[in-house]
Amino acid sequence: MAETTWSDEQLVAAARGGDVQSIAALVSDAHPHVQRFARSLCATPEDAEDAAQEALIVLYRKIGTLRATGALVSWMFRIIRNECIRRAHFMKRSLPPFTEVTVVPSAEDEMFERLEAARVADAIAALPTDQRQVLIMRDVQGLSGRMVADRLGLSTAAMKSRLHRARAAVQRTLSDPAPGDLDAAV
């Protein structure tokens, strides 16, 4: 494979010696190679462009410090890699910590929630006493099944049976359209 002109040792040697035209030619010829490498390493296209520009500025300003003409490509790629890493660290530090967004419900949402809560309360209140007790103790108060059974003097199987019937009755009641519901009129 033919050597690319941007890393030609004669051009690099002349640029290291301070020849302005050689430095300009070297920067110009290196630009597409530097951009391509930056795009492969950086997180965003903007960071890649900035890293490529930074690498070309370093090339322009510090070409005289390059010790070996054959080390230009690896030197440039190391500059780009470090710049991409630096930008990634900066982006990570500059991001605000994640905070949960509190959504303030609208008055309409609050009204619907209150209406739905009232429907649930009415459905529970309509249950027979034995089912209502089990449902409230288990699902509202969060007591374990064994505790509910013990407190009500039931077997675990009887408690589970009452709980199942209570949940099914509440679910049936809630699945029926609410009085005055617009969907019921359609």
Side-chain angles (χ1 to χ4, degrees):
M1 184 171 183
E3 184 73 22
T4 57
T5 58
W6 79 280
S7 61
D8 179 69
E9 287 196 26
Q10 291 178 341
L11 181 62
V12 174
R16 280 180 53 215
D19 180 49
V20 177
Q21 288 181 333
S22 296
I23 294 171
L26 191 59
V27 169
S28 176
D29 290 347
H31 189 255
H33 302 285
V34 167
Q35 276 190 315
R36 186 172 40 257
F37 188 68
R39 280 193 301 267
S40 71
L41 284 181
C42 289
T44 66
E46 295 79 17
D47 283 348
E49 185 62 35
D50 291 344
Q53 289 299 322
E54 184 64 31
L56 292 172
I57 290 169
V58 169
L59 173 63
Y60 180 78
R61 289 183 179 162
K62 299 192 176 188
I63 186 65
T65 64
L66 184 64
R67 292 191 183 131
T69 56
L72 174 68
V73 174
S74 62
W75 182 55
M76 290 301 297
F77 290 163
R78 198 170 33 252
I79 292 168
I80 295 165
R81 185 195 68 211
N82 291 342
E83 186 64 20
C84 290
I85 291 169
R86 186 185 70 76
R87 290 180 178 284
H89 285 298
F90 177 75
M91 183 176 15
K92 183 179 172 185
R93 281 186 306 223
S94 66
L95 291 175
F98 177 75
T99 56
E100 288 191 35
V101 176
T102 304
V103 177
V104 178
S106 68
E108 183 181 53
D109 290 339
E110 287 179 10
M111 181 194 67
F112 285 128
E113 283 180 30
R114 276 190 249 125
L115 288 173
E116 190 61 25
R119 284 187 70 210
V120 171
D122 290 344
I124 293 172
L127 292 171
T129 303
D130 60 335
Q131 291 179 12
R132 185 173 55 246
Q133 285 177 326
V134 171
L135 183 77
I136 289 174
M137 292 174 81
R138 184 75 177 99
D139 291 349
V140 176
Q141 294 175 345
L143 299 177
S144 71
R146 179 79 256 156
M147 289 178 83
V148 172
D150 289 345
R151 287 190 182 176
L152 295 176
L154 301 169
S155 68
T156 304
M159 184 278 310
K160 286 182 178 180
S161 177
R162 286 183 187 180
L163 181 60
H164 175 73
R165 285 193 307 268
R167 286 175 176 166
V170 169
Q171 195 170 25
R172 267 192 313 276
T173 302
L174 295 177
S175 67
D176 292 340
D181 193 352
L182 293 177
D183 292 332
V186 177

